Amino acid sequence: EGTNILDFGTGGGFPGIPLAIFFPEANIKLIDGTGKKVRVAQEVANAIGLENVLPAHLRGEEEKGKFDFIVSRAVMPLPDLMKIVKNIARDQHNVLPNGVIVLKGGNLEEELMPYKRIAEKTELSQWFEEDWFKEKYLIYVPS
């Protein structure tokens, strides 16, 4: 309850809209630099009656709010994303410490090198059998 999440580069609303459905007590801001994508996310949220999302036409560098978690879906290399998302809140009120959670695929060894001591890499194929999920990962970097 009261968790603030930023979906960085939301596109049409993923993963922010599914998170808003699953966590109705959380506040989720969806940002994207492409206005058309933000309008799609707004229409989806309106169509299903989501009141805990705030779509905004913004580039990540323009966002000034504080968030418990920043989520993204392979928007850019992790080191580049981490340079931009310095707006993670310092107060902790969730079981999982505040941080960045991204969905990424492929060989991530070099990309994760700066975070090798703190990043957690989880294979999505442990939950999904389809071939598409092979070499797809959930990466969590605590703040």
Side-chain angles (χ1 to χ4, degrees), residues 3-42:
T3 297
N4 294 310
I5 300 170
L6 175 65
D7 182 353
F8 187 102
T10 191
F14 187 80
I17 288 179
L19 288 171
I21 294 167
F22 197 71
F23 298 105
E25 301 298 320
N27 306 304
I28 303 178
K29 186 168 186 180
L30 314 173
I31 65 169
D32 201 285
T34 305
K36 184 188 296 187
K37 293 178 181 181
V38 173
R39 286 189 297 279
V40 168
Q42 180 68 66

Side-chain angles (χ1 to χ4, degrees), residues 14 73 103 124 128-136:
F14 187 80
R73 183 177 48 110
L103 293 168
L124 295 182
F128 303 99
E129 296 177 9
E130 294 83 2
D131 285 343
W132 189 86
F133 291 100
K134 291 180 181 171
E135 294 191 26
K136 298 286 191 296

Side-chain angles (χ1 to χ4, degrees), residues 6-115:
L6 175 65
D7 182 353
F8 187 102
T10 191
F14 187 80
I17 288 179
L19 288 171
I21 294 167
F22 197 71
F23 298 105
E25 301 298 320
N27 306 304
I28 303 178
K29 186 168 186 180
L30 314 173
I31 65 169
D32 201 285
T34 305
K36 184 188 296 187
K37 293 178 181 181
V38 173
R39 286 189 297 279
V40 168
Q42 180 68 66
E43 289 300 318
V44 170
N46 290 345
I48 60 177
L50 286 178
E51 296 181 4
N52 61 332
V53 297
L54 175 63
H57 182 198
L58 282 175
R59 295 187 44 81
E61 299 86 349
E62 299 169 320
E63 178 56 57
K64 302 299 182 214
K66 293 285 185 190
F67 300 91
D68 301 301
F69 297 100
I70 297 173
V71 298
S72 186
R73 183 177 48 110
V75 168
M76 62 183 60
L78 188 59
D80 296 340
L81 178 64
M82 296 299 284
K83 287 177 188 171
I84 295 171
V85 296
K86 297 179 171 108
N87 49 354
I88 298 175
R90 295 291 169 223
D91 62 318
Q92 302 283 324
H93 59 266
N94 293 288
V95 173
L96 185 67
N98 297 352
V100 174
I101 303 170
V102 296
L103 293 168
K104 296 189 80 59
N107 184 343
L108 301 172
E109 296 311 310
E110 185 176 324
E111 190 172 333
L112 293 178
M113 189 64 72
Y115 312 99

